[in-house]
Amino acid sequence: MPLRKTRLVALAAMASVGLLAGHSLTYLRLAPAGSGPERLLEATGHGYLNQAALVSVALAAMSALFWFAGGILSSRVARPSVARTAATLAVIQCAGFGIQEILERVIAGAPLSDLAVVLALGLPVQLLAAAVGTLLVTALHRAGAAISRLLGRTGPQAPARPAHLFALELHFSSAVLPGGLRSRGPPALPS
C-alpha cells in the first residue's frame, strides 16, 4: 500500500478515538444537571459507545505505533505535514460525527428535531479532539525521529572487519610445496 494511503488509514484509526471521545463529551454537556448521561445516551441510541470505545482504543494503539515507527524511519520516509494531518483528522471526525448522529437517531427512532443543537455543540468538540489527535500524532512521530537520531541510525551499515576492529595486522605467508607450487598458509602475527 502506498505511504499516503497507509497514513490515511492510520489517521482514520486515530480519528476513531477522537470521534468517540468527542461524541461522549458532547453528550455529557447535553445531559441535564442531576441526571445521569447514561439515560440520555440510551434514549438517543448511544448505548453502544462503551463497546465501540474498546475497539477504538485498540485501533488508536496500532495507529500510535505506526506514527512512532514512522518517526524512527524518518530518514527514509517523508515527514507528514502537521496542517494536512490536522485537516484530515478534522474532516474525518466532523463528517463521522454528523453521519453517526443521523444514523443513531434513525436506528433508535429518536427525533431529528434537536440535531442542529447537537451538531452546534458537537462539531467544535470534534475539532478540539482532532487538534489533540494532531498533537499526539506529531509528538509520536517526533519522538520516533529523536530516538532514531539518538541511536545514530542513519541506515544500514557494513559491519567492521575483525582485523580493523581490533587494529591487528595479519600477514599471510606462502609455503613452498614440493613441485614448486605455492599454497596459502596460516596467518603469522607480526614479530
Side-chain angles (χ1 to χ4, degrees), residues 29 48 52 61 83-84 106 136 164 174:
R29 296 287 303 155
Y48 69 93
R84 185 174 289 142
V106 168
L136 180 61
H164 294 302
S174 297

Side-chain angles (χ1 to χ4, degrees), residues 9-189:
V9 169
L11 281 177
M14 188 63 75
S16 70
V17 171
L19 175 61
L20 291 175
H23 213 106
S24 296
L25 287 173
T26 298
Y27 276 87
L28 288 176
R29 296 287 303 155
L30 287 172
S35 72
E38 297 83 23
R39 285 187 188 160
L40 180 62
L41 291 174
E42 286 294 331
T44 56
H46 293 90
Y48 69 93
L49 282 179
N50 288 336
Q51 291 82 12
L54 294 174
V55 173
S56 174
V57 168
L59 289 173
M62 289 186 285
S63 176
L65 289 173
F66 170 85
W67 290 104
F68 183 72
I72 290 174
L73 300 172
S74 63
S75 63
R76 289 173 269 170
V77 177
R79 191 168 149 185
S81 161
V82 175
R84 185 174 289 142
T85 299
T88 303
L89 284 174
V91 167
I92 291 171
Q93 288 181 219
C94 288
F97 181 71
I99 293 167
Q100 192 175 5
E101 276 300 312
I102 292 169
L103 287 175
E104 288 166 346
R105 289 163 190 279
V106 168
I107 291 170
L112 294 172
S113 59
D114 64 343
L115 185 60
V117 173
V118 172
L119 290 177
L121 181 61
L123 291 176
V125 172
Q126 290 299 327
L127 291 174
L128 180 63
V132 170
T134 300
L135 290 174
L136 180 61
V137 163
T138 303
L140 286 166
H141 192 273
R142 289 184 179 167
I147 287 174
S148 180
R149 283 190 306 276
L150 181 68
L151 297 176
R153 183 171 182 196
T154 58
Q157 297 177 356
R161 292 182 16 207
H164 294 302
L165 188 62
F166 298 107
L168 291 177
E169 283 188 39
L170 300 176
H171 300 280
F172 295 93
S173 62
S174 297
V176 178
L177 298 176
L181 298 174
R182 296 181 179 261
S183 73
R184 291 190 300 183
L189 294 175

